[in-house]
Amino acid sequence: MRRRSLFAACSAHAVHDGLTDAIYVLLPLWQAQFSISYAMVGLLRGSYSGVMAGCQLMAGRLARRWGRKRLLVGGTALAGLAYLVASQAGGMGWLLFALVLGGLGASTQHPLASSLVADSHEGGKVKEALSHYNFAGDIGKTLIPGLVGLLLAAASWQAGAGLLGVIGVASAALLWRLIPSDAQLRAAQRKSSARGAGAARGGMWALLSTGTIDSAVRMGFLTFLPFLLQDKGAGAAGIGVALSLLFVGGAFGKLLCGYLGARVGMMKTVWLTEATTSLCILLAVWLPLSWLMAMLPLLGLALNGTSSVLYGAVPELAGADRRDHAFALFYTGTIGAGALSPVLFGRLGDLAGITAALEVLAAVLLLTLPLSWVVQKNLE
């Protein structure tokens, strides 16, 4: 039951994160196809993640009525269907509708799959299991955008979107077989609540603020990285490879930062990763393409690694009896910030240029340092 639940959650995370981040490969092609501004590019990206963030609390409530398994499988199928609709889009209206539809389907994954992992593991094994769950998401981010980027070297963006749709629908069928029945999930949840840790702690607001800033900077940077690469001479295939390099580093960052967080503490790990990320963003702006490509794994390690430490603190701060709500709240805040960030920094990019927008992102990220200190105080 425990291994099956973890494997199902990891599979869902890999597929959904891969579908979500494949948008970054398609954004420059959509900009050229529909002649849109950077602000509109941010709106396209933000519409997907905004709906995903805004509907997560609702997904938690609906899961109690309709069942976690049914809702997670249905959401995965809807995310795949959205890409099939996008592949047929002839204008911005249909494309925007498809991305909103995809965000609605994606809203089921984070709160339900995270709770599935937490409910089936106990004590210190919760953090270890969540680390594997987060690692699986970056595997999806590495493989699926890279696959689409290679396909786009020989085919149209419509073919790439169609492939993403097929992946989503096929994965929904697989998840239906993998996810344990709702009766088994409820039994595991009762067992987890009975054995779980005691009273809730404070500091959730600081953790949420830290995660919100980290997510806003990460999504803002990822949105404009393809355009930065394009300005330095990279093509569609090169952008796909660059994102794969970034996410390979991010995948290992999830495991490495989980290891560091357990041994040197959450605050020291966050300080190390966020300071490194801020410096690497500045270097990405200044370095030539070849040096930037070589640096991307390190940038990905720091950029994505922080979230693994933050996710692992959610069950400890919230307590077992409020775990579902805490995960939904945390993901709503972080993904909501990720949805708003591309729009705001897209507007800044239109006014001052991509370079200035990225430099502001690097500065904003340093606000996480004092906030992580507050979180650490509440963990002691």
Side-chain angles (χ1 to χ4, degrees), residues 257-289:
C257 290
Y259 175 87
L260 287 176
R263 284 155 180 79
V264 305
M266 188 278 301
M267 183 186 72
K268 291 180 180 178
T269 305
V270 170
W271 283 23
L272 175 63
T273 57
E274 300 292 51
T276 302
T277 300
S278 182
L279 176 61
C280 286
I281 290 175
L282 294 177
L283 291 176
V285 173
W286 301 331
L287 291 175
L289 179 61

Side-chain angles (χ1 to χ4, degrees), residues 26-44:
L26 296 171
L27 283 176
L29 302 178
W30 288 338
Q31 186 193 39
Q33 174 84 25
F34 301 111
S35 302
I36 57 178
S37 67
Y38 287 128
M40 286 301 297
V41 168
L43 178 62
L44 285 177

Side-chain angles (χ1 to χ4, degrees), residues 202-255:
M204 192 66 195
W205 68 270
L207 180 66
L208 178 59
S209 299
T210 305
T212 296
I213 295 172
D214 178 72
S215 178
V217 171
R218 182 169 60 254
M219 295 306 177
F221 176 76
L222 288 174
T223 298
F224 297 108
L225 176 60
F227 299 100
L228 180 66
L229 292 166
Q230 195 174 58
D231 288 344
K232 292 177 183 287
I239 292 172
V241 171
L243 289 173
S244 293
L245 290 173
L246 186 77
F247 294 137
V248 164
F252 286 101
K254 293 289 179 68
L255 293 179

Side-chain angles (χ1 to χ4, degrees), residues 143-203:
L143 295 180
I144 295 179
L147 176 63
V148 172
L150 293 175
L151 176 63
L152 291 176
S156 66
W157 69 262
Q158 290 89 346
L163 174 63
L164 293 170
V166 171
I167 290 174
V169 173
S171 298
L174 177 64
L175 288 175
W176 180 257
R177 297 182 61 86
L178 286 176
I179 300 175
S181 69
D182 290 329
Q184 290 175 304
L185 293 176
R186 284 192 293 269
Q189 189 173 19
R190 288 193 296 269
K191 183 179 179 181
S192 176
S193 298
R195 297 183 181 179
R201 302 185 181 195

Side-chain angles (χ1 to χ4, degrees), residues 330-365:
F330 184 80
Y331 282 117
T332 297
T334 55
I335 297 177
L340 184 61
S341 173
V343 179
L344 294 178
F345 286 100
R347 182 56 179 165
L348 179 59
D350 287 331
L351 294 174
I354 294 178
T355 297
L358 291 174
E359 289 172 347
V360 171
L361 281 172
V364 168
L365 187 60

